[in-house]
Amino acid sequence: MNNSVTNTARLLWAGLRALLVLTLVTGVIYPLVVTGIAQGLFRDQANGSEIKADGKVVGSSLIGQSYNLPLEKDQETPEPDLKWFQGRPQNGLGTNSVNTRYSLILSGATNRSADNKDLVDWVTAAKAAVVKDNSVNGYTVKPSEVPADAVTSSGSGLDPDISPQYADIQVHRVAEKNGLPVDRVEKLVDDHTEGRTLGFMGEPRVNVLELNTALRELLAKS
């Protein structure tokens, strides 16, 4: 009887020690090591790839934002604020009461086929709007110049980047709306155009939030 009790106690103590060791290793040491490495070597990525303006975090470089005018009475869809560069159509962005310009609720695309009538109508209307909004005095956008990313959302609906082609056709409109020389806005786009990752992966791109943050800084100095 005593041996049985002693063996049971030993087994319980062995199990308890294993639990304590595993808890210490996997619950304390491992998270601290991983966090330390992340903060030491990948601090920007580990903290959400934050973008700051005037010392405040204004968003993440990984998630798109919308740049719209405030909703007017009885208006269901906000109009784009044309003094800013516009991103891709973002089906993943919703609304909230905390920050109406950075309103992430869900992620996902339309999941409609290329010949779906609703999708075709949306793309057609978006293309006409891009041509109309970006055609200003002395500069006219042709329908053939509108790139695909200007009228379609990404698979997540949260793409933060646009193609250099889409940024370029917005330059004249942004310059006119803000009273800036076209060449200064063109340089802004050039300075914020990233090439292919490692020289061969992906496509050249422009991060809209970073570009608009730089535009805000330029306007503050003008």
Side-chain angles (χ1 to χ4, degrees), residues 85-87 134 139 145 147 149-150 161-174 185-186 188-190 192-193 205-208 211:
F85 284 92
Q86 297 294 313
N134 294 286
Y139 179 78
E145 297 174 330
D149 62 293
D161 303 319
I162 58 176
S163 64
Q165 292 80 6
Y166 188 25
D168 287 341
I169 66 175
Q170 299 186 62
V171 164
H172 287 77
R173 182 253 297 162
V174 170
V185 182
E186 285 178 337
L188 210 60
V189 172
D190 292 340
H192 288 82
T193 298
R205 58 200 180 276
V206 182
N207 186 285
V208 180
L211 181 59

Side-chain angles (χ1 to χ4, degrees), residues 13 29-30 33 45 47-48 56-57 69 72 89 97 101 107 132 155 157 175 180 199 216:
W13 175 235
I29 297 176
Y30 177 75
V33 170
Q45 295 89 333
N47 291 324
K56 298 179 180 179
V57 176
L69 295 169
E72 297 181 359
S97 59
R101 285 188 55 217
S107 169
K132 176 178 178 294
L180 294 171
R216 185 187 296 275

Side-chain angles (χ1 to χ4, degrees), residues 40-181:
L41 301 179
F42 310 101
R43 184 176 180 82
D44 180 56
Q45 295 89 333
N47 291 324
S49 300
E50 298 172 340
I51 294 179
K52 295 183 178 180
D54 300 325
K56 298 179 180 179
V57 176
V58 295
S60 169
S61 63
L62 303 177
I63 301 176
Q65 294 194 25
S66 56
Y67 290 84
N68 297 325
L69 295 169
L71 276 172
E72 297 181 359
K73 186 178 180 180
D74 299 326
Q75 187 181 29
E76 294 184 0
T77 304
E79 296 292 330
D81 190 344
L82 297 179
K83 70 179 182 180
W84 303 108
F85 284 92
Q86 297 294 313
R88 298 184 66 169
Q90 296 165 320
N91 295 324
L93 292 182
T95 57
N96 62 45
S97 59
V98 178
N99 186 336
T100 56
R101 285 188 55 217
Y102 191 57
S103 46
L104 173 61
I105 288 184
L106 53 87
S107 169
T110 64
N111 203 32
R112 288 174 166 81
S113 63
D115 60 352
N116 178 271
K117 185 180 184 304
D118 288 339
L119 180 59
V120 171
D121 289 344
W122 293 342
V123 170
T124 301
K127 191 171 187 177
V130 169
V131 170
K132 176 178 178 294
D133 291 342
N134 294 286
S135 294
V136 297
N137 292 329
Y139 179 78
T140 301
V141 177
K142 299 176 182 177
S144 60
E145 297 174 330
V146 178
D149 62 293
V151 296
T152 58
S153 65
S154 63
S156 67
L158 306 174
D159 194 345
D161 303 319
I162 58 176
S163 64
Q165 292 80 6
Y166 188 25
D168 287 341
I169 66 175
Q170 299 186 62
V171 164
H172 287 77
R173 182 253 297 162
V174 170
E176 181 181 271
K177 294 289 183 181
N178 291 287
L180 294 171

